[in-house]
Amino acid sequence: MALPLIAIVGRPNVGKSTFFNKVVGKKISITQDKPGVTRDRLYADGEWRGRSFSIVDTGGIELRSEDIMWREIKRQAEVAVDTAQVIILMVDGREGLTSSDYDVADMLRRSKKPVILVVNKIDEYSEDKVFEFYSLGLGEPYPVSAEHGTGVGDVLDEAVSWFEKGTLVEDDSIKIAVVGKPNAGKSSLVNKLLGFERSIVTDIAGTTRDAIDTKFKYNGKDYTIIDTAGIRKKSKVEDDVEYYSVMRAFDAVRRADVCLLVVDSTTGLTEQDTKIIGYVHEQGKPSVIVMNKWDVIEKDTNTINKFEAKLKEDLKFMDYFKSVYVSAKTGQRTEKIISIIDEVYAHAHFKIATGTLNDLISDTVRANEPPSYNGRRLKVYYSSQVSIAPPTFVLKVNSCDLMHFSYERFLENVIRKNFDFSGTPIKILVRENGEN
């Protein structure tokens, strides 16, 4: 299940990126004293008082500007607001209130989401520096200095309190993001899975502009399917509406439990398909490669084997992939998709008992010793699986420097050989003994 999301919004140059970097503890956003530097939304995971969350830094909102950049940034922020559980509105305590602040506050009130008003650049607090911001109608302003870190903790206390108040509705359905290039047949596939015409299906690329959620039941289980706009290369995203759709598609991947990666079999796996699949892999999501339009492929008894061999060559970085060859148009094999979704979801949530894992890794290391470096050899003292979705393993060793990436890959293959993690990435974290 996706972590609760906090979105930082506000007009340009109020210090959103500086605040974001302070929260996540490392410099991720570009911070520069010039409006409009942050063009794309940046995500990171954080933790505060035992509560994990994701936080997103958006571009600034400038509702009254007709400039294309401002329209793009506004749309990016709107996407973040649509998908966030808690919103931080940041304003500039030095510059004071502006008409744009009122515009943004009005927009956020209409969202009906919890909004925390943060007045940044307050290096020395006095009540008169924040008093005027009460007029935004968003409750008590929180004075902070993002640059120095003062007041940030109070804001995070308020943010996580909304998680604890139960204002966030837990959804136990398996969320399925359907992603891929435009015109690969995503909407046709969604309609086939749902059994009714919900998305408009045409042969014109880009018909589906937004990510649309639809809940359904299958064999007594609850699912939510997210039909997204096609993801194009950025160079081909010519209008801000399509840019907005691309950002929504990436949001859909982030909050999905399983991703269906729809590929047009007639063109095969393209460079852009590989980039989309790589994004899903990086996000740690289980996935299914859906080779669509299989009905128009000329076939012999070896055709699927040839396609599989090509996929294995192109997807070396995720050789755990699961694939299915279907025709959304005719319905061929589409009935298999849900069972494969259930399968990879189960694999992503499987946990190996610590004793069993320790025995496996210890036996493997004894039978296949890692190479020595300068007379020193890697020792693995302890192994445990610390989380699921994706399955994550911690190996306690004598020295992290002695763990060569090839040996780590070897251990991953051993785990996969003994336990079925097909369809899901797994992570191995190497820690020196005594290190958390």
Side-chain angles (χ1 to χ4, degrees), residues 44-95:
D45 293 338
E47 186 177 325
W48 184 255
R49 300 196 184 279
R51 293 306 305 264
S52 296
F53 57 87
S54 293
I55 188 165
V56 58
D57 178 22
T58 72
I61 304 175
E62 190 76 25
L63 296 187
R64 295 183 179 181
S65 173
E66 292 303 315
D67 182 271
I68 290 175
M69 183 183 75
W70 295 127
R71 291 208 309 270
E72 287 185 0
I73 290 174
K74 175 197 167 188
R75 288 188 183 280
Q76 292 178 50
E78 284 175 339
V79 175
V81 168
D82 288 346
T83 56
Q85 281 72 47
V86 176
I87 301 162
I88 292 173
L89 171 59
M90 186 162 288
V91 294
D92 189 327
R94 291 180 193 157
E95 188 176 335

